[in-house]
Amino acid sequence: MENRDPKKRSLNIKEKLAFLRPWDRDDDIEADMEISDLGAGEEAPADRRPSPAAGILHDSRLWMTCILVLIFIATIGFYLYNRNHTFTTYVITSARENADVEGTQYAALGKSIIKYSPDGVFCVSRKNEMKWSSAFSMQAPITDICDDRTMVIAEQQGTQVAVFNESGMLGSFQTEYPILKAAVSGQGVTALVTQGGEVTWITLFGTGGEKIAEIRTTVEDFGYPLDVAISPSGKRLMVSFLGVKESGTGTTIAFFDFSSAAGSNEAHMTGSAEYPGQVFPEIFYADENTPAAVGDEGLIIYTNSGVPEEKDKILFDDEIVSTFHSESAVGFVFENQTDGSAGDGDRWRMALYSYTGRKMMETTFDGSYSRILLDGDEILAYTEQYLMVFTRHGTMRFNTDFEEPVRYFMKIPGFRKYMVITRNNLNEIRIR
């Protein structure tokens, strides 16, 4: 009797035709058999039908994508808000008692705060915890800081000098003649301009007071020294002299090299630049290879190889009111000359430049300030009663009155966090 069972019939056919595919493995035959064995009207096994879990997985991925897009949009929105919004209120997150004597001044050095007065210097943490102190007697202390790691305090028109870093005192000494100007390198080498009668001495000292090099000048030679700057390595020096020439008053900026590669010139002078009719009251090294000079007409940036030459020059039509700088940028404040353009009514105009001469930012503002500085990526300006913060893009990030007379204002690590030092407290604030 003929076999009517479709499953058996299919199996017989497979067995008879197996010789046509001798390379097939047994498991391939079994797989084919499983496919062939599906008769009409039979349902596919459960594992071959669309799984409800697959739909759930698809929906989950879609929801996850939507959530990530929303997070991305929210992040961009928060970034733009935080960057462009002007905050006008603050909350004091901590206040630590401050009992400094009248006349104490402050500076940031590394992660510490330096307090100095005519009676001595103190180094404290940002929690006002004492790290070290040193007593001295200086009637009019002047300071210089290099790379946020080394500091000199010298007595102007006196002879006392102290050099230190965040860890403690590196050395102290006395000079033979009264001090006019002081600058310090990263290693603690100090450049001092002293006045001995009609002779002006420019001397490099080690931290213990040992003389490394000395330059003798007179008013007839160059003029009166307005400022001195030393490179972070302590090997290069520049001095701004104001003198009277036949054509009138002018400035000579002289460059000196005390490295082993310096020439045979006994004074180590490598070059000078003459600026008739101009005054350059401020000179500095932005870094080892970027000497710069700020004059009454603008900014000059020099090369630092061989004989220094002008590399970039930025001239201004308006009178410079204030300057501030860091290793990456230099800023200027001018009186705002209103001309009917946007910004009318603002008292000041501020501009920020790179050391290649490129203008990075320009903005106007109206608040009063007695001190302005570039602190990281922000510009801080303040008086005893008023605080302002600007971004490098020119946005006023923060402005407010403060409840106590402010002595020092600085940025500290943390989201929108700053420190405001008053006579009675070290206040950590968060702007909002």
Side-chain angles (χ1 to χ4, degrees):
M1 183 176 178
E2 185 179 358
N3 186 358
R4 301 286 184 181
D5 188 339
K7 292 184 178 180
K8 291 183 179 180
R9 185 170 65 249
S10 175
L11 181 60
N12 292 335
I13 293 173
K14 285 284 186 180
E15 290 175 348
K16 291 179 180 179
L17 298 179
F19 70 93
L20 295 176
R21 300 174 65 189
W23 57 84
D24 280 357
R25 297 176 302 180
D26 293 339
D27 55 348
D28 293 330
I29 295 174
E30 291 174 3
D32 291 340
M33 288 171 59
E34 290 176 4
I35 296 173
S36 302
D37 288 345
L38 294 176
E42 293 188 60
E43 294 184 0
D47 59 352
R48 294 187 178 275
R49 286 176 288 175
S51 171
I56 295 173
L57 180 61
H58 178 269
D59 291 342
S60 299
R61 289 176 176 172
L62 181 61
W63 276 107
M64 183 61 69
T65 301
C66 292
I67 291 172
L68 291 175
V69 170
L70 290 174
I71 291 174
F72 176 76
I73 294 173
T75 301
I76 295 298
F78 179 77
Y79 169 77
L80 293 175
Y81 170 79
N82 188 59
R83 169 177 164 175
N84 298 316
H85 182 70
T86 299
F87 300 89
T88 57
T89 60
Y90 63 90
V91 58
I92 296 177
T93 58
S94 70
R96 297 174 175 86
E97 185 178 357
N98 188 36
D100 296 330
V101 300
E102 191 67 33
T104 298
Q105 300 183 65
Y106 305 87
L109 191 66
K111 297 180 180 180
S112 302
I113 298 170
I114 300 298
K115 305 177 179 184
Y116 63 97
S117 71
D119 299 321
V121 57
F122 301 85
C123 180
V124 300
S125 70
R126 289 171 181 157
K127 295 182 179 181
N128 207 23
E129 298 167 338
M130 179 68 70
K131 290 187 172 182
W132 56 265
S133 65
S134 180
F136 51 63
S137 178
M138 297 186 187
Q139 294 301 313
I142 56 174
T143 65
D144 184 55
I145 298 175
C146 181
D147 289 346
D148 198 29
R149 61 191 175 109
T150 311
M151 185 172 184
V152 61
I153 299 179
E155 182 182 18
Q156 193 169 42
Q157 296 298 335
T159 60
Q160 300 289 320
V161 182
V163 183
F164 50 90
N165 59 22
E166 192 176 1
S167 300
M169 188 73 68
L170 298 176
S172 62
F173 56 93
Q174 288 187 320
T175 60
E176 184 178 357
Y177 302 111
I179 299 166
L180 302 178
K181 297 288 182 179
V184 70
S185 72
Q187 291 75 27
V189 174
T190 302
L192 297 177
V193 178
T194 59
Q195 186 73 47
E198 296 182 355
V199 177
T200 300
W201 299 93
I202 302 168
T203 311
L204 296 188
F205 292 92
T207 55
E210 63 277 12
K211 290 184 180 180
I212 298 174
E214 193 168 61
I215 303 165
R216 181 186 185 278
T217 68
T218 65
V219 174
E220 289 74 17
D221 293 332
F222 292 109
Y224 182 83
L226 294 178
D227 200 13
V228 62
I230 189 170
S231 67
S233 68
K235 295 179 180 180
R236 294 181 173 90
L237 191 74
M238 58 189 300
V239 185
S240 174
F241 294 96
L242 178 65
V244 179
K245 308 294 183 182
E246 294 180 358
S247 58
T249 303
T251 299
T252 299
I253 298 181
F255 298 86
F256 304 88
D257 191 337
F258 300 97
S259 67
S260 58
S264 58
N265 187 338
E266 185 176 320
H268 300 276
M269 186 171 173
T270 60
S272 64
E274 301 286 341
Y275 298 96
Q278 298 184 48
V279 180
F280 285 81
E282 182 181 5
I283 56 176
F284 59 90
Y285 280 84
D287 57 38
E288 185 66 27
N289 297 308
T290 311
V294 178
D296 50 6
E297 295 184 4
L299 171 72
I300 299 177
I301 302 159
Y302 300 93
T303 62
N304 204 34
S305 57
V307 178
E309 298 177 351
E310 292 184 3
K311 183 173 64 174
D312 292 290
K313 179 185 290 188
I314 306 169
L315 300 179
F316 304 118
D317 295 328
D318 299 331
E319 181 181 352
I320 300 170
V321 176
S322 302
T323 64
F324 52 94
H325 63 86
S326 68
E327 68 282 355
S328 60
V330 56
F332 302 89
V333 178
F334 314 88
E335 285 194 24
N336 188 28
Q337 304 296 324
T338 58
D339 56 0
S341 60
D344 271 9
D346 288 341
R347 182 179 179 185
W348 311 110
R349 178 171 61 89
M350 178 168 59
L352 193 67
Y353 290 85
S354 71
Y355 289 107
T356 60
R358 180 178 63 88
K359 182 186 289 186
M360 303 168 67
M361 173 273 285
E362 185 174 59
T363 189
T364 59
F365 64 97
D366 196 39
S368 298
Y369 71 95
S370 57
R371 185 173 183 184
I372 186 167
L373 65 150
L374 190 54
D375 191 348
D377 290 331
E378 295 181 331
I379 301 162
L380 279 58
Y382 61 97
T383 65
E384 283 192 348
Q385 295 82 26
Y386 189 61
L387 307 175
M388 291 183 291
V389 178
F390 300 86
T391 69
R392 285 200 180 204
H393 305 287
T395 300
M396 180 176 278
R397 179 174 176 79
F398 175 57
N399 72 87
T400 189
D401 295 318
F402 201 73
E403 56 197 42
E404 296 181 65
V406 177
R407 290 186 170 182
Y408 193 70
F409 182 39
M410 60 183 287
K411 183 79 174 70
I412 60 176
F415 183 61
R416 299 180 190 162
K417 296 191 72 175
Y418 300 84
M419 176 168 287
V420 183
I421 301 178
T422 65
R423 180 176 181 178
N424 299 318
N425 292 290
L426 268 68
N427 304 282
E428 289 188 8
I429 69 169
R430 182 172 60 83
I431 64 176
R432 61 181 185 179

